[in-house]
Each structure stands twice: as C-alpha cells, then as structure tokens.
Amino acid sequence: MDLRGKAGLVAIAVCTGIWLIRTGSDMDLPPQPATTEAFARAAVAAEPDAGIPLPPSDPVRIRIPAIRVDAPVTRLGLRAGGSLEAPPAGNRNLAGWYRGGPAPGAKGASIIAGHVDTAEGPAVFYNLGTLKKGTRIEITRKDGRTAAFAVDAVEVFDNNAFPDRKVYGATVRPELRVITCGGGFDARTGYQANVVAFAHLTGEA
C-alpha cells in the first residue's frame, strides 16, 4: 500500500468536528496521547517479536476493551482525489478498513480509520489518544479468526508534517495502524492533526 502524499486528506476525510462547532467549547476536545506513549527517541529499541502472519481475510469487528471500543468494520477505498473514504457518519460506532492494503493479521501494515466525533457527539475512536503501550487490540476477521495486537506507541502528528512512510510504509511483520483525528481544532478547517496507534500482531485470541 502506498498513501504517500495523501496524509492531510486522510485527516479531512475521517472527521470534520461538527460537534465541536456546535458545542463551541475547547473542553470537548478529544484526549491526546501522552508523550510517554510515543516511540523512544534517544535510542532504537529492538522490535518485539510478532506472531505468525495469518492468511488475508477481511476484518469484520474491532475491539479495544481498554477504551470500550466494540465496533463493526466496513471496507474503505480511495476517493477520486486520492483521499481515504470515511466510514458513514450516521453510525458513530463504526470503523473502516482500507481494503487496498493488507488485512489485519497478514504481513504488512493494516489501516483502520474511524471518526473521533460526528455531529451527534463523540464517536468510535474518541478515546484513542488515551491508549497505553501494550494495550490489546482484537480484530475479528471474516474467516472466523481473531487477530490480537499489542500497542507499540500512540502518537499525534500535525496534518502538515505527517510521516507518511512511518505510518503507511511497508513492514516485514504483521502490524496495525488505528487512525483518527486529533490535535487542535479550527472551525474553518477542522482538526489539525491525526492520532495514530501503532501495534503489532501477537497471535490469535
């Protein structure tokens, strides 16, 4: 999968923050990742061992018990301009998988995106920024198998300085990226950043 050059569009596609515009309060900004949950900067740590890659199979559900996420997963493609489609905003408890990339559990970096809020209020990944390293994420797949992941880091990236290769680049092991909007908010342009949880496959649930 190669989404280089489309990172800013991903942020716009996933959410617009209409709820914040309606409430008019900065107190309603979603929680942001703690700096302690980012990847280590001073030294390059060895990557933890990953589970054995699974054969490709579409995801049907994502569970993150630590933040009470238990949501169905729909398929997402790219819009004509190259931006990632967003899950339908009418269902706040819905995530989307980029079907042009690896399936969760298969070799490579699988992309799951979802709204942080909609016009009705907080949405499926509102609390994504509160995740801690080691947090468990489960993806139930169409083949009936459940891929289990452990969070390696949670970071927030400004839209105009999004590390495309770090997030979307090819990986040699089965990994997962869970993405939503975050950072500051501007009523004219929406959220100014993306929150990304990086995880690796640990096995099957």
Side-chain angles (χ1 to χ4, degrees), residues 12-62:
I12 295 171
V14 171
C15 55
T16 57
I18 296 173
W19 176 59
L20 285 183
I21 295 173
R22 288 185 173 182
T23 60
S25 172
D26 289 342
M27 296 298 292
D28 294 320
L29 283 171
Q32 300 301 294
T35 56
T36 53
E37 303 310 318
F39 283 109
R41 309 292 185 189
V44 177
E47 290 184 339
D49 292 334
I52 298 173
L54 303 178
S57 181
D58 288 10
V60 296
R61 196 161 199 90
I62 180 171

Side-chain angles (χ1 to χ4, degrees), residues 1-3 75-78 84 97-103 109-111:
M1 177 180 56
D2 187 351
L3 291 178
R75 290 160 58 92
L76 303 177
L78 297 180
L84 184 66
W97 164 63
Y98 175 55
R99 65 176 185 265
S110 179
I111 304 297

